[in-house]
Amino acid sequence: PYYVDINQNLFLEAYLHSSDSNLVLFVDTCVASPSPHNFTAVTYDIIRNGCVRDSTYTTYYSPYRHMVRFKISAFQFIRNNPLVYLQCELVVCRAYDYSSRCYQGCITRSKRQASS
């Protein structure tokens, strides 16, 4: 656990431990929840499908393709829930495979039209 005050910056880093230097990491989805066991009921999207949803999210330079660095500003859900749990989904891709998920960036899904 990390203990930070409200509005304090929380710096995060994910690193892929692999002997293959031609791998790339991509943060696809990062969700916050007041419960460590439920990331579907009451949640807050920081990143969803590669699209940044939180205005305090900032990426930082990484010297390696297999490392991602970012920060968010700490927050709480409701006064009754002072703890916030993060769950992030990362994608591993081959470097320079521009058809892979890592190079697609933000994906917005189009809504279906109701038929007449």
Side-chain angles (χ1 to χ4, degrees), residues 48-96:
R48 175 71 65 182
N49 298 320
C51 304
V52 176
R53 304 287 188 211
D54 184 295
S55 63
T56 68
Y57 177 89
T58 304
T59 58
Y60 284 94
Y61 168 77
S62 169
Y64 308 105
R65 288 188 293 256
H66 53 277
M67 177 191 294
V68 291
R69 294 174 170 172
F70 59 96
K71 79 151 180 83
I72 59 171
S73 183
F75 64 94
Q76 68 182 37
F77 276 89
I78 312 263
R79 289 183 193 104
N80 298 341
N81 296 322
L83 300 177
V84 175
Y85 298 88
L86 298 178
Q87 179 176 325
C88 297
E89 296 176 17
L90 293 102
V91 180
V92 178
C93 305
R94 285 251 162 240
Y96 311 112

Side-chain angles (χ1 to χ4, degrees), residues 8 11 25 27 32 38 40 47 57 62 70 76 82 92 103 113:
Q8 183 179 356
F11 296 90
L25 262 185
V27 182
N38 187 343
T40 56
I47 302 170
Y57 177 89
S62 169
F70 59 96
Q76 68 182 37
V92 178
Y103 291 94
Q113 291 184 352

Side-chain angles (χ1 to χ4, degrees), residues 24-40:
V24 176
L25 262 185
F26 175 73
V27 182
D28 181 70
T29 300
C30 203
V31 179
S33 170
S35 167
H37 307 292
N38 187 343
F39 284 88
T40 56

